[in-house]
Amino acid sequence: MDRTEKREFVATLAGVFAETSFVLVAQNKGMTVAEVSDLRRRMRGAGATYKVAKNRLASLALDGTRFQGISPLLKGPTALAWSKDPVAVAKTAVEFAKTNEKFVILGGALGTQTLALDGVRALAELPSLETLRAQLVGLLQTPATRIAGVLQAPAGQLARVFGAYAKKDEAEAA
């Protein structure tokens, strides 16, 4: 990379850090190209981005951002992953780390909070943003369903009473 490419990379990475809410730092020492490609594919599927970055350039991009606390983690062959949904990145990384011992999660940052490996694992156990949205919609729909049931109950009772009188009249006429 020449200097202009490095400046552009640092500026792009700084822009990403300004927009995202979670950054994961991992070590990928000894991973094959196929394994890295598989991890990238899984990250893309979860709506996340996985990028191997030079530590010095990543540190420059981190300066002045809320993720500055992860700078000490940038030692050795590191990679960064981020997404708008922090749970998606954490889940994907933790699942991949279970099947590949060469992929080591070092930590991450959720806003200004720096997370160790245990914090990332705890984040991975939370339900995803889509699941939370579905649960919220379900909670909002439940009262409406109950109200509709309560409103329909008296009408149903009236219909059964009228039906009983009609059957009674038919029986007396016969």
Side-chain angles (χ1 to χ4, degrees):
M1 281 185 154
D2 65 355
R3 284 186 175 193
T4 55
E5 288 175 328
K6 288 179 181 179
R7 281 190 201 117
E8 288 175 12
F9 180 77
V10 169
T12 303
L13 208 52
V16 165
F17 293 149
E19 293 175 8
T20 191
S21 62
F22 177 72
V23 176
L24 176 92
V25 181
Q27 211 170 42
N28 57 355
K29 190 184 290 186
M31 287 177 59
T32 64
V33 173
E35 291 169 336
V36 172
S37 297
D38 181 39
L39 177 59
R40 287 179 199 265
R41 183 182 46 76
R42 289 183 189 191
M43 288 284 185
R44 265 193 312 272
T49 305
Y50 175 82
K51 192 157 201 83
V52 176
K54 290 189 176 210
N55 294 336
R56 179 73 183 132
L57 297 178
S59 293
L60 288 172
L62 284 169
D63 283 342
T65 67
R66 59 185 170 198
F67 301 114
Q68 202 164 356
I70 62 173
S71 290
L73 299 175
L74 300 175
K75 290 186 172 63
T78 55
L80 303 171
W82 62 86
S83 174
K84 295 200 188 264
D85 182 9
V87 176
V89 176
K91 274 188 188 208
T92 306
V94 168
E95 286 174 10
F96 189 79
K98 286 178 184 176
T99 60
N100 190 329
E101 67 276 351
K102 295 175 187 172
F103 182 72
V104 179
I105 299 169
L106 300 176
L110 183 61
T112 57
Q113 177 83 28
T114 303
L115 302 174
L117 176 60
D118 293 334
V120 174
R121 284 186 178 150
L123 188 63
E125 292 173 4
L126 294 174
S128 70
L129 188 59
E130 292 301 317
T131 305
L132 288 174
R133 285 180 180 159
Q135 289 174 348
L136 182 63
V137 168
L139 288 173
L140 292 174
Q141 285 180 340
T142 300
T145 306
R146 287 184 182 163
I147 289 172
V150 167
L151 291 176
Q152 288 177 351
Q157 289 173 348
L158 282 174
R160 285 189 285 280
V161 168
F162 289 144
Y165 277 123
K167 287 180 184 176
K168 181 181 170 189
D169 288 343
E170 287 176 8
E172 288 176 1

